[in-house]
Amino acid sequence: MKTKLSIALLTSLLALSPAAHANFSVNVGAINVNPDSTSSPINDNSALGLNPGSDTQLGITLDYAFNEQWVLELIAATPFSHDINGAGGLAGNKIANIKHLPPSLVAQYHFLDSSYAFRPFVGVGVNYTTFFDEQPSQALKTVLGTDDVEVKLDDSFGFVAQVGANYKIDEKWGLHAMVSIMDIETDATVYADGAQALTSTVKIDPIVAMFGVKYSF
């Protein structure tokens, strides 16, 4: 269930590609998710907070060019893994580890036509982030006094703003770089012995950066 949206988005984008494959390209490289450093309060107590760490994974973005200027890009990656660390009175303590997939669809505007090797672009779009495999830390279990601890994060839907550039090496190969700001906010709930123990609205709002190689079909 967790990956169905990613598969659906990928299938939809592939379906747009006509028999003439010149409008379709794929970018592969390293992609980093660096969450906002501002901590999110726990149980509305600003003295206690949560702060997610950053992670780098394999990024795969798929581009479909409608014309010289407009491109639709699907951003995908292998699952990101983040340590959720305590802040304020919980500083120095790992609270949990979470995994997530943040597939995004972005409409890009390219400022130069394909006769230029260097082509900067801007983009806006939407992001859907699904969280899974949330694992509470031993420190959290100790604080709550039980091993029966469950961490749940709600899925998130938000906007994406993007800037980047492509550099054409030859007709098939090139370089791709982009930086995106994603609106990711989730409600986190911790259960101890089946009862709700802690809640927090976690504003991840990461800067997502990618650098990789581009191949055009």
Side-chain angles (χ1 to χ4, degrees):
M1 291 294 294
K2 297 297 185 182
T3 59
K4 283 186 177 179
L5 181 64
S6 301
I7 295 171
L9 290 174
L10 175 58
T11 302
S12 297
L13 188 61
L14 290 172
L16 291 173
S17 182
H21 296 292
N23 294 338
F24 184 62
S25 58
V26 59
N27 312 297
V28 179
I31 187 167
N32 175 264
V33 171
N34 189 16
D36 184 356
S37 61
T38 304
S39 65
S40 302
I42 299 175
N43 289 357
D44 295 322
N45 183 350
S46 59
L48 303 175
L50 299 176
N51 201 347
S54 64
D55 189 30
T56 300
Q57 291 291 331
L58 175 66
I60 302 173
T61 66
L62 303 170
D63 295 351
Y64 177 78
F66 291 98
N67 53 43
E68 287 284 290
Q69 270 68 51
W70 289 101
V71 173
L72 181 67
E73 179 172 86
L74 171 66
I75 303 173
T78 52
F80 292 95
S81 177
H82 298 276
D83 286 337
I84 304 297
N85 301 305
L90 294 175
N93 293 296
K94 176 182 171 182
I95 304 301
N97 178 270
I98 64 168
K99 291 183 172 64
H100 75 89
L101 286 169
S104 304
L105 275 176
V106 179
Q108 298 173 344
Y109 180 81
H110 293 247
F111 293 101
L112 302 172
D113 63 44
S114 58
S115 65
Y116 291 84
F118 179 77
R119 302 188 66 201
F121 60 80
V122 296
V124 294
V126 292
N127 161 264
Y128 180 85
T129 298
T130 182
F131 298 90
F132 60 98
D133 197 22
E134 302 99 327
Q135 298 294 328
S137 69
Q138 186 56 51
L140 180 60
K141 294 177 181 179
T142 300
V143 168
L144 295 176
T146 177
D147 286 334
D148 183 12
V149 176
E150 186 178 21
V151 178
K152 290 293 184 183
L153 277 74
D154 294 342
D155 292 350
S156 168
F157 184 85
F159 292 100
V160 178
Q162 183 187 73
V163 296
N166 294 311
Y167 181 80
K168 183 168 64 175
I169 297 173
D170 57 31
E171 290 304 311
K172 293 293 185 181
W173 292 97
L175 300 175
H176 174 78
M178 67 85 170
V179 176
S180 300
I181 298 175
M182 294 187 179
D183 175 25
I184 302 177
E185 182 175 308
T186 178
D187 290 329
T189 306
V190 177
Y191 298 91
D193 294 324
Q196 182 175 301
L198 304 170
T199 62
S200 178
T201 297
V202 183
K203 294 182 179 180
I204 300 175
D205 294 345
I207 294 175
V208 178
M210 178 179 174
F211 181 78
V213 296
K214 184 180 189 73
Y215 183 80
S216 299
F217 293 89

